[in-house]
Amino acid sequence: MDAQEKYEKLQQILQNMQSVVIALSGGVDSTFLSYAAHLVLGGNAIAITAVSPTFPKREEKDAKKMAREIGIQHLLVQTAEFDNDDFVKNPQNRCYICKKIRFESLVKWAKENDYKWVIDGGNVDDLDDYRPGMKALQELDIVRSPMIEAGLQKKDIRQLSKYVGLSTWNKQSAACLASRFPYGIPLIPKKLAMVEQAEEFLIPLLQGGNLRVRYHDGGARIEVDQSNMNIVWENKDSIDQTLKQYGFHYVALDLAGYRMGSLNIIDT
């Protein structure tokens, strides 16, 4: 099937669902899913963004912006991952614990407000990556991933997003702030805030592209695309000084550049 045929299948799946709560992060996938659900179901689709110290404020802002662009009703729900001792310990199944907590909150809200399903923006490409959070979704009775059911890949979603005029069509992939910490390093909101500050400082210096500031033994390891390496080097003094003001003990540039899931590689 081509992208349009998969999109038509997605629309039919959503139609059959009758009413849905969409987990909206503001990224490419969840934004397109929110657009499609709003188009098919109108007022029977609502987008909810789960907010906690692990969720970057710029992503919260993007989620609000995209909900306004789409015209879908949008709510913020505070989740409490840091009340869970197992999550704070940051084990390898951290994403499973976090996803379970977040989606249990959405499921509770959906049932209390008579919505039949909670849906997430997973796509077929996610099945090939290490995604322990997907196991958590499978354990919840009213949670589905309709874009996986429709066979949509990331490239399809970007293509369709561009076609329907969504500004997220070429947005870089994002991840929660906890993903910047090696497994086994306890997660502390203050340290997550340091990482977020560092990335917010670096973003305006770069010419777009991917960015991650990884936390290692009190230091910051900066990952950027190869095209941005020179920019980081040219601004190394101000970057070093500023990130140390935020609380990092040292600042390093990873010469291999940005790699999705690089901490999974290091930890295994």
Side-chain angles (χ1 to χ4, degrees), residues 52-168:
S52 83
T54 66
F55 191 61
K57 292 181 178 61
R58 65 178 177 275
E59 295 300 318
E60 179 183 334
K61 183 178 178 181
D62 283 353
K64 292 177 181 177
K65 175 177 178 288
M66 295 316 303
R68 287 195 301 269
E69 282 190 22
I70 293 166
I72 193 170
Q73 186 180 356
H74 181 223
L75 298 176
L76 301 179
V77 171
Q78 295 286 335
T79 58
E81 296 95 312
F82 286 89
D83 291 343
N84 184 295
D85 290 340
D86 289 332
F87 173 77
V88 172
K89 291 175 184 176
N90 193 18
Q92 270 201 305
N93 68 340
R94 170 195 66 218
C95 290
Y96 166 83
I97 298 169
C98 178
K99 203 88 163 181
K100 192 75 173 286
I101 292 169
R102 289 186 170 211
F103 274 81
E104 282 176 343
S105 297
L106 298 186
V107 166
K108 181 175 184 290
W109 190 97
K111 290 182 175 180
E112 289 174 349
N113 291 275
D114 297 322
Y115 282 79
K116 292 183 180 297
W117 298 98
V118 173
I119 59 177
D120 95 302
N123 67 73
V124 172
D125 296 348
D126 294 329
L127 302 177
D128 296 328
D129 195 10
Y130 175 64
R131 299 290 176 101
M134 294 188 71
K135 180 176 182 290
L137 302 189
Q138 294 165 0
E139 294 174 357
L140 297 171
D141 59 346
I142 65 167
V143 177
R144 288 169 64 179
S145 302
M147 294 199 296
I148 292 178
E149 296 176 27
L152 283 159
Q153 297 173 277
K154 190 77 169 189
K155 64 179 182 180
D156 299 323
I157 296 166
R158 289 192 184 277
Q159 177 186 333
L160 291 164
S161 295
K162 185 178 184 181
Y163 177 76
V164 301
L166 293 174
S167 59
T168 49

